[in-house]
Amino acid sequence: MKIQRKILPTAFRSHNALFKHQTGKSSLLFIAIAAIAIVIGVISQQSFNTPAKMPKFEKLLIMPTPKSLGEVSLIDHNGAPFTQQNLKDNWTILFFAFTNCPDICPNTLLTLKQVKQDLVTANAWSPFQLAMVSVDPERDTPERLKQYVPFFDPDFIGLTGELDYITKFAKNLGVLFFKKEILADGNYDVDHSAGLILVNPEGEFAGFMGVPHDRETLSADLSKLGKHILSTQKSSTLDQPEKAVNDSASESAKLEHDSNSKQDIEFINAWIRPAPPSAVSMAGYLTIRNNRKTPLNITSVESTLFNMSMIHETVIEDGVASMNHLDGLKVASGESVTLAPMGIHMMLMGPKEPLPMGSKVPVTLMLDTGESVELTIEVRNDPSNG
C-alpha cells in the first residue's frame, strides 16, 4: 500500500434526481402511489393460504388463483420471438433487470445460477427455466443480451422488446421501472422492482419471491416446488442431474500491497465481480479497517483501467431497487466499513480493456487529507461463497 500526497480532483457531483417514468414524465407522487401499490399487493398475497396441494414455503408466495399474462410478445437473446408457446412445459422464473446495472442485477443472476446448481444436485431443476426481462430495451438489444445473460448460465434466457410493450407487460405483473436522469455522457440508471415472478406452464402469473434474494431460502423453496411438480407428473424416473458449472469462488483472497508498510488502513477480502466482456460497468467490494486515531474520509475512487469510478449504494425500497451516488465514505477510528453486493460498492464504469477472471485492477482511494491510497484488486468470485 502506497500513500502519497496529491491534489484532490474535483469531487464527483451527485447525480441523484427525480425518478423518470418510461414516457419521460417524472412524478414523486406517482412513485409513492406505485410503491404503496406494491406493498399492498404483497400483503394481499401473503394473506392467501398456500393451495392445499402445494408444500409450505418459507418465502415463495403461490397465488391460489393465477393471473393471465395476456399476450406475450418478446424477443429472446438469439433474436427469436418469445411467446406463450415458450412458456409451455416449464415453470418460468422472470427477473426484470438491465445489462448496465453494476451491482444488484449481476449479483442476483449469480445467486440464481447458484440456486440452479443446488436444484440440479437435488434433481429438482428440470421443471424450471429462467429468463431475464430487460427494463432498458433502448440499450439492451438481443445481441447485447446474448453477450450478457449466458455469461451467468448458458441456459438462462435474455428477453427484450418494444419499450411500450415491456412497460405494459411488467405493469401487469406488478413490476415497476423508472428511467433516471440522463447524464452528460449519455449514461443513465434504471430503478426497478427486484422481486422474482413465477409463471406456470399455462402462461399465468402464479407466484412471487420478494427481495432480498438469498441462495439458501430460494433453493429450499424452489426445490420443494420442483419436486412437487415432478411428483404430480407421475414420472417413473427423474431427469438425470445436469452437470454443475464449476464455480471457482474458492480462489484465495489476497490483496496486493506493500507488506512492509504500516497497516494503519487495512483492506480485507477485496474483489471485483467478474462481468461479461460486453459489460459497461463492474463493481468492487472490500472491507476497510481504519486503525488510525482519526476518522478516515474517502472522497472518491479512481482506476486507470476505467473511464470513471465512484462510490455507489444499492438501495431497495418497497421492492424497487435503485443506485445512489455517495459523495464520500467515512470510517471512524478503530472501526470497519464493508462494501458488499446489494449495498455500498465501488462502481467502475467503462473498462478500457477486457478484464477476465484473475485480472489485477489498480484502484486509488482519494482522502480528504489530500492523500491517495493505492491498492490492487483481483477480478474473482466472492470469497465469502467459497
Side-chain angles (χ1 to χ4, degrees), residues 9-58:
T10 303
F12 289 114
R13 288 188 295 175
S14 172
H15 62 262
N16 292 339
L18 297 180
F19 287 114
K20 293 202 171 185
H21 189 247
Q22 293 92 319
T23 59
K25 192 176 178 183
S26 63
S27 169
L28 288 176
L29 178 60
F30 172 81
I31 294 165
I33 294 172
I36 292 170
I38 291 177
V39 175
I40 293 174
V42 172
I43 292 174
S44 66
Q45 288 184 53
Q46 289 176 329
S47 67
F48 293 148
N49 293 319
T50 300
K53 294 182 180 181
M54 284 283 186
K56 298 297 181 181
F57 303 107
E58 181 176 343

Side-chain angles (χ1 to χ4, degrees), residues 76-78 82 93 95 105-106 108-117 125 128-132 145-146 148-159 242 245:
D76 71 16
H77 64 250
N78 291 314
F82 188 95
I93 303 166
F95 173 52
C105 301
T108 300
L109 287 170
L110 177 59
T111 296
L112 292 170
K113 166 192 172 181
Q114 296 166 338
V115 168
K116 178 190 171 183
Q117 292 173 354
W125 175 257
F128 298 107
Q129 65 178 357
L130 185 137
M132 184 195 109
L145 289 173
K146 189 171 184 176
Y148 186 86
V149 178
F151 172 83
F152 297 93
D153 188 284
D155 292 331
F156 287 179
I157 304 165
L159 298 175
E242 300 174 35
V245 179

Side-chain angles (χ1 to χ4, degrees), residues 4 48 62 75 86 91 114 161 217 225 237 273 299 383:
Q4 58 182 329
F48 293 148
I62 297 293
I75 303 294
N86 299 94
W91 284 71
Q114 296 166 338
T217 303
L225 178 60
T237 59
R273 177 186 41 75
T299 57

